[in-house]
Amino acid sequence: MNKISLDDAKKQYLRLKSLNRQVDMTRGRPATEQFAVGMRMLKDADSLQYTYAGGDARNYGDLKGIPSARRLFAQLFGVDYDNVIVLDGSSLSIMYRLIANAMFFGVMGEKPWKDQGKIKFLCPAPGYDRHFAICEEFGIEMVVVPMHADGPDMDMIRHAVQSDASVKGVWCVPKYSNPTGAIFSDSVVDQFASLKPAAKDFRIFWDNAYIIHSLTGEDHHLKNIFEAAKAYGGEDLVYEFTSTSKITFAGSGVAALAASGNNIEDFLSHLKFEMINPNKVNQVMHVAFLKDVDNIKSIMRQHAAVLGPKFALVDRRLEDAFGKDDEYVSWSKPLGGYFVSLNVKGVASQVASLAKEAGVKFTAAGATYPYSRDPYNTNIRIAPSIPTLDELDFAMDVLIASINLALAQKADD
Amino acid sequence: MNKISLDDAKKQYLRLKSLNRQVDMTRGRPATEQFAVGMRMLKDADSLQYTYAGGDARNYGDLKGIPSARRLFAQLFGVDYDNVIVLDGSSLSIMYRLIANAMFFGVMGEKPWKDQGKIKFLCPAPGYDRHFAICEEFGIEMVVVPMHADGPDMDMIRHAVQSDASVKGVWCVPKYSNPTGAIFSDSVVDQFASLKPAAKDFRIFWDNAYIIHSLTGEDHHLKNIFEAAKAYGGEDLVYEFTSTSKITFAGSGVAALAASGNNIEDFLSHLKFEMINPNKVNQVMHVAFLKDVDNIKSIMRQHAAVLGPKFALVDRRLEDAFGKDDEYVSWSKPLGGYFVSLNVKGVASQVASLAKEAGVKFTAAGATYPYSRDPYNTNIRIAPSIPTLDELDFAMDVLIASINLALAQKADD
């Protein structure tokens, strides 16, 4: 149990609170210094080649994105050129549109979801709050699936997907997962790829947001789900997403969708009513700057040079405070991505509100669960990217003091 | 009747066809030489100021667009800052989203359109085919309203809007209309602004695509519909759109929505699930380049210097061939925009297919009407922007020969 007395915990907390400092760690945003990377993309942008065989990036046309951008993302995803389209900055927008289309028009000729009664999505949790928010927007019932170190609970997913035709989707961040940092194991990827859904219009939403976002300087292995799906004969099963929001500019980059030819065709059959083309000028700049996967890896090492020490600080401070095997406090040690997932048994909401009162804002406790309902009041998402090292050190002081106080108060109850 | 004999018309047409030249005039795209204008925007893009009070254009945040972009478009629309949001390149995408939201969620608390039975839109025609296509996508019934020189038939619009609660919208391109070039008169704007719709969720879709796109070097007056609507107490009645697709880059510019505070709030309440922010880096570049309305006018004069001679050529060639008062052939003389609307009484489809066989593609005959059904088989949209003057001269040869042949064949029937 907690080794600090309630009195000591109070004193420690109040001293920090009295400093009146403010740190915002609510979202996984890049730090300002990281934009030095993207700024190089804008240099001499007027001297790039904007025409290409069959088109001009500055004029209308090419709803799927420019060929060179599609080639680059095909390489990054590890899929064929024909299975990739490249759109504007937000991959969230592609996910939203796919779900809106499914709701209103149906998936590949199936009945619209709006006419199929209750619709359910499986939500591995802790997970990404903006995924869950899209479900709430469309009235889709969310079913919590526990996350393990190697991915979500696949027995539960297989049972639900294969027995219940109202289950139409599952959210995944398969690499450096938001927020746990988990990288799905080959076995988990194979189990996803071999699902035999009860619903023909079930899809895996494979949000590979951190596809190449290592914190360690070297990339980590994630099995290619399309190759696995091909082996099981079900390439229509998967939509894969990524974006350059954390490679170039947040929300001002480009986003891409990888999917089977059938799924791409289905998506474009609606997208063509909504736009003539995405921002292709931005795509030319991105392709000229990013070049190829090896070059992107070297760009990501520059981001890791900024982010790595921040993640190391969080880990070191937590370990100094709670050791390696605390009964109540544990946390993830991510190899990539933007988050540390902290578990403080039964006191997450108390910790987050104590920290907030002392000037340090975390993502609202519970936000990593559907409907913001963390069943054990345990998970807090730490986003260390934005603060400076000095601010982060203070934020960790406050976090640790808040945990000590919340646990001491609980023990005192 | 036509003064050229069938034999002569055939000879003239076959001679041109034998030249085997190809000209594509299907869409209103900027000419390549016009992009010299936009390219200046990209110069030294890495030395612009990307931070602003309360934000960084390179990071997440500001779903409504950056403040300076909203100020610029507020000036262009002639509305308050709070009534403008600036998004990515395609204004069509904003229109599509508004209609998708209305269908699925309803407009400002009203019942979703999908639950209201038949939904109708009024479609002044000839009009813009992509507006009509959105209606087809959502199964909205389109009602044709005739276009006059000063705007659509307002008696018909008033009667339909005020008597029929299933009428939920009307499409307008109020300035340099697509394709007729009409500028709506003050009286027409007032009649729109003073509509008392039977349906609370009726909206005017005021697509001001050519808001500042003069061909003559001087701007032309269009009454501000929001000022008019304010006078009648109905600012919620109007959504106004524009984009920089024909100012900077086609589909790679920025688009803006002007609307009442209620409508903006309603729109954002859904948009927030779809994206964190639009491409704000692109917005910084646009604001730095476009500066203010006076500067945009000077930019538009550079476009007019390219486009003006092309429009003049079309007009001169038609007048040389058919004079000023031909019984069968008439055409618009636009002061701005991207189109000449040609009427060839009863032979539009024949003219378009003859021209196509001889190598000159126009927008498919009928495309300017809902369901591609031109009731009089009369309208052809000429888009003179893309071809060079030499290509355009050839295209007019073919067009005129095709008209002569189609009319001679008809007279011969």
Side-chain angles (χ1 to χ4, degrees), chain A residues 1 11-12 35 75 146 175 243 245 308-309 313 320 357 387 392 402 405:
Chain A
M1 185 57 227
K11 273 182 214 151
Q12 183 191 42
F35 298 128
Q75 193 194 5
K175 190 169 175 179
S243 85
S245 274
L313 176 66
D320 287 350
E357 281 166 43
L392 189 59
S402 300
L405 181 54

Coordinates of all heavy atoms in Angstrom, one line a residue, chain A residues 1 11-12 35 75 146 175 243 245 308-309 313 320 357 387 392 402 405:
Chain A
M1 N 0.9 -1.2 0.0 CA 0.0 0.0 0.0 C 0.9 1.2 0.0 O 2.1 1.2 0.1 CB -0.9 -0.1 1.2 CG -2.0 1.0 1.3 SD -3.1 1.1 -0.1 CE -3.0 2.9 -0.4
K11 N 0.7 17.9 2.2 CA 1.7 19.0 2.2 C 2.4 19.1 0.8 O 2.6 20.1 0.2 CB 2.7 18.8 3.3 CG 2.3 19.4 4.6 CD 3.4 19.1 5.7 CE 2.8 18.9 7.0 NZ 3.6 18.0 7.9
Q12 N 2.8 17.9 0.3 CA 3.5 17.8 -0.9 C 2.6 18.4 -2.1 O 3.1 19.2 -2.9 CB 3.8 16.3 -1.2 CG 4.6 16.0 -2.5 CD 4.6 14.5 -2.7 OE1 3.5 13.8 -2.6 NE2 5.7 13.9 -3.1
F35 N 7.9 21.2 -35.6 CA 7.5 21.7 -36.9 C 8.7 22.2 -37.7 O 8.5 22.5 -38.9 CB 6.5 22.8 -36.7 CG 5.2 22.3 -36.1 CD1 4.7 22.9 -34.9 CD2 4.6 21.2 -36.6 CE1 3.5 22.4 -34.3 CE2 3.4 20.7 -36.0 CZ 2.9 21.3 -34.9
Q75 N 3.6 2.1 -50.7 CA 4.9 1.5 -50.2 C 4.8 1.5 -48.7 O 5.2 0.5 -48.0 CB 6.0 2.4 -50.7 CG 7.4 1.9 -50.4 CD 8.5 2.9 -50.6 OE1 8.2 4.1 -50.8 NE2 9.8 2.5 -50.5
P146 N -11.5 -5.8 -23.7 CA -10.3 -5.5 -23.0 C -9.0 -5.5 -23.9 O -9.0 -6.3 -24.8 CB -10.2 -6.6 -22.0 CG -11.5 -7.2 -21.9 CD -12.2 -7.0 -23.2
K175 N -0.6 -0.3 -34.0 CA 0.8 -0.1 -33.8 C 1.0 1.0 -32.8 O 0.5 2.1 -33.1 CB 1.5 0.1 -35.1 CG 3.0 0.1 -35.0 CD 3.6 0.0 -36.4 CE 5.2 0.2 -36.4 NZ 5.7 0.1 -37.7
S243 N -2.1 8.9 -41.7 CA -1.9 10.3 -42.1 C -0.5 10.8 -41.7 O 0.2 10.2 -41.0 CB -3.0 11.2 -41.5 OG -2.6 11.6 -40.2
S245 N -0.2 13.6 -40.1 CA -0.4 14.7 -39.0 C 0.8 14.7 -38.1 O 1.1 15.8 -37.6 CB -1.7 14.4 -38.3 OG -2.8 14.9 -39.0
G308 N 11.6 11.5 -27.6 CA 12.2 10.4 -26.8 C 12.5 10.8 -25.3 O 12.1 10.2 -24.4
P309 N 13.3 11.9 -25.2 CA 13.6 12.4 -23.8 C 12.4 12.7 -22.9 O 12.4 12.5 -21.7 CB 14.4 13.7 -24.0 CG 15.0 13.5 -25.4 CD 13.9 12.8 -26.2
L313 N 11.6 10.8 -19.5 CA 11.4 11.5 -18.3 C 10.1 11.0 -17.5 O 10.2 10.7 -16.3 CB 11.2 13.0 -18.5 CG 10.9 13.9 -17.3 CD1 12.0 13.9 -16.3 CD2 10.6 15.3 -17.8
D320 N 10.8 6.2 -10.3 CA 11.4 6.7 -9.0 C 10.4 6.8 -7.9 O 10.7 6.5 -6.8 CB 12.0 8.1 -9.3 CG 13.3 8.0 -10.1 OD1 13.8 6.9 -10.3 OD2 13.8 9.1 -10.5
E357 N -6.6 20.8 -10.6 CA -6.7 21.9 -9.6 C -5.3 22.5 -9.3 O -5.2 23.7 -9.0 CB -7.3 21.4 -8.3 CG -8.8 21.3 -8.3 CD -9.3 20.5 -7.1 OE1 -8.8 20.7 -5.9 OE2 -10.2 19.6 -7.3
P387 N 4.5 19.6 -23.6 CA 5.3 20.5 -22.7 C 6.8 20.4 -22.9 O 7.3 19.5 -23.5 CB 5.0 19.8 -21.3 CG 3.9 18.8 -21.6 CD 3.9 18.5 -23.0
L392 N 7.3 19.5 -18.2 CA 6.9 18.1 -18.0 C 7.4 17.6 -16.6 O 6.7 16.8 -15.9 CB 7.5 17.2 -19.1 CG 7.1 15.8 -19.2 CD1 5.6 15.6 -19.4 CD2 7.9 15.1 -20.3
S402 N -0.4 14.0 -6.8 CA -1.9 13.8 -6.9 C -2.2 12.3 -6.7 O -3.2 11.9 -6.0 CB -2.4 14.2 -8.2 OG -2.2 15.6 -8.4
L405 N -1.7 11.5 -3.0 CA -2.8 12.1 -2.2 C -4.1 11.3 -2.4 O -4.8 11.0 -1.4 CB -3.0 13.6 -2.5 CG -4.1 14.3 -1.7 CD1 -3.9 14.1 -0.2 CD2 -4.1 15.8 -2.1

